[in-house]
Amino acid sequence: HLCDNLVKVFDAADASGQQARRSTSTLMVNAEMMRALSHILPSLSETYGTFWERIIEVLTKAWTVFGAAFDERLPLIHASLRLFSTLRKLGLRDPNDDLVDALKSHQSSIALSMISLLQAVCNVPDESHQPRKIVNEMLARQISCANIEIESSTVSDLFPVLGSESLALQDSAYSLLHRQIPRSQEDVALDKALSKDYVAKLPEELLSLILVAPTQNALLDVDFKRSMPPSLRSYLLSWHLVFDHWTGASDAVKNDYINAIKEGSYVQSLLHLASDFLVTSRVRPVDANKFQIDSYTPGSEKTPEKDTHSMLIHLYFLALKHLPTLSKAWWRDNTSRQTQVSVESWTERCISPLIISSELATVSAWGPTQASDPDQPLTIKVSTSTREVTASIPIDEQFMSLAIVLPPSYPLSRATVSGLHRVGVTEQKWRSWIITTQGVINFSDIGGGNQLIDGLMAWRKNVMATLKGQTECAICYSVVSADRQLPNKRCGTCKNMFHGSCLFKWFKSSNSSSCPLCRNQFSYA
């Protein structure tokens, strides 16, 4: 009876209009009633009734109706979160069917109202305001404990929270998005498969958060033993969410994401920050082997400084793993010689062994799956000690084979491809296949898959296409080019076929548009 009357008071206050909402005294009274319910409800855990559902409805209203200034609502928000914590614990500890059903039936409205509350409070700094900080941390804790899930339509609403001045709210938004983004990739892959014109895009709101990296000069006066700057944490968490899009995505979708990243200087800014913070600006580089390189868990490190190191190390690892060509371009073209040497040495010691191990393991697992391939399957041998992959194709009673060797600082340094045994083709054609295979491995992020497998498949396609009598490019002597295209340009005069990319390079280097063979003006047949 007392609970019913308290809920009626809430309802009366809500029905009395905006004036009551703006009244500080009304807000304080509501907060005190919620505190009272937090103490009363544990003794009613075995009591059944509709009041459980009505209390949850009161909570969701308190999280979505904002007529007063934020600081005036702090006591009410704090009391409502504490009351929700009490309900949640009662539902777990002493299951009451009415309470459990009420929580389940209102799961969606609870999620939406908490996200609404996140959005409402994210623009208010809390670093120098203890009550705000307590409320923000409690909100983040309740979202985490309640295992709230979000819909795809709600994702864009959470990106602004990542830019919040509150570290607790940043972590909360990151946790929700970190779970949702990989799940949504299956739908994106389906849309891509159903439509050739569909282009998968990274959210513009997310890209805006990684557009400008915090500079090393701006971080000089920061005491990382005390806390990480919200701007830096927002930037790093946003990059983690960018790479979350690769989890569960198809190769075609990954290719679209890579193209989106290429359009800006996003990767260069990230890698400059990581190399400055971890390697070049320090007397002794950070020992990445003391951290979990291939994963990151917020709050797992003891100090903000170590947390920053952990985030940057993992992001550097992900950049080399998912964007190797862009990462190599940054290292080769946008750094000084001294930086190149320092970064390469550090990468070889700490990061490359994990990437090489992962690449070789993927190739080993891929080898047996070729049995169902209509083309001739490759015989694959992997040596982890020498970082080498050998592949062979049976030709009559002999084997055509090549070897791929990964350097110790892969993927910064290029993999080398060498022919082991040539069968039935000219030296010129054999060499062109080797060069094409090496180009696919070292210079192509197309498809977003394992580049060693991509290179091996390009080599196999060239071999099998030649054996089947398919036309090769008259410039590179390969059927499959480094960008994995077939010859698709025919000279209208001599009728020879060329890859579009090879023909473009010929036109550019010769400063003419004549056919490389007959020298007549190239006319497309």
Side-chain angles (χ1 to χ4, degrees), residues 2 46-47 81 140 146 225 228 270 284 290 337 345 482 493:
L2 175 60
E46 297 181 1
T47 303
L81 291 171
K225 294 182 179 179
M228 188 190 308
L270 171 66
R284 180 177 296 178
K290 293 182 178 179
R337 179 58 185 164
S345 174
T493 304

Side-chain angles (χ1 to χ4, degrees), residues 240-258:
H240 278 93
L241 294 176
V242 168
F243 286 121
D244 278 342
H245 286 77
W246 268 252
T247 304
S250 65
D251 286 351
V253 170
K254 290 177 184 177
N255 185 42
D256 286 346
Y257 291 155
I258 291 169

Side-chain angles (χ1 to χ4, degrees), residues 12 18 28 144 156 196 214 261 271 312 329 370 441-442 466 510:
Q18 293 290 336
M28 295 300 295
S144 175
S156 59
K196 293 181 179 180
I261 292 293
L271 296 179
L312 284 169
Q370 302 174 81
I441 294 172
N442 290 315
T466 300
S510 65

Side-chain angles (χ1 to χ4, degrees), residues 243-359:
F243 286 121
D244 278 342
H245 286 77
W246 268 252
T247 304
S250 65
D251 286 351
V253 170
K254 290 177 184 177
N255 185 42
D256 286 346
Y257 291 155
I258 291 169
N259 288 333
I261 292 293
K262 284 181 180 178
E263 292 178 1
S265 58
Y266 305 107
V267 175
Q268 293 88 334
S269 299
L270 171 66
L271 296 179
H272 270 307
L273 176 65
S275 63
D276 286 347
F277 209 95
L278 299 172
V279 183
T280 58
S281 65
R282 309 176 67 89
V283 177
R284 180 177 296 178
V286 174
D287 186 358
N289 292 315
K290 293 182 178 179
F291 297 86
Q292 190 70 29
I293 296 173
D294 57 356
S295 65
Y296 170 73
T297 303
S300 59
E301 298 297 334
K302 295 181 179 179
T303 66
E305 184 178 28
K306 288 186 177 296
D307 192 35
T308 306
H309 292 165
S310 178
M311 295 178 78
L312 284 169
I313 289 168
H314 183 54
L315 286 174
Y316 182 77
F317 166 81
L318 291 176
L320 292 187
K321 180 178 180 180
H322 296 307
L323 305 169
T325 302
L326 292 177
S327 300
K328 277 183 286 192
W330 161 80
W331 174 73
R332 184 182 63 248
D333 302 330
N334 297 285
T335 57
S336 65
R337 179 58 185 164
Q338 183 179 358
T339 299
Q340 287 181 0
V341 172
S342 300
V343 170
E344 182 180 20
S345 174
W346 183 79
T347 302
E348 178 180 332
R349 186 174 67 256
C350 302
I351 310 298
S352 291
L354 277 177
I355 293 179
I356 292 172
S357 176
S358 174
E359 295 283 292

Side-chain angles (χ1 to χ4, degrees), residues 502-520:
C502 293
L503 200 58
F504 174 77
K505 291 176 184 176
W506 164 258
F507 290 158
K508 188 175 181 180
S509 62
S510 65
N511 292 319
S512 71
S513 57
S514 62
C515 173
L517 297 184
C518 70
R519 301 296 178 172
N520 290 310

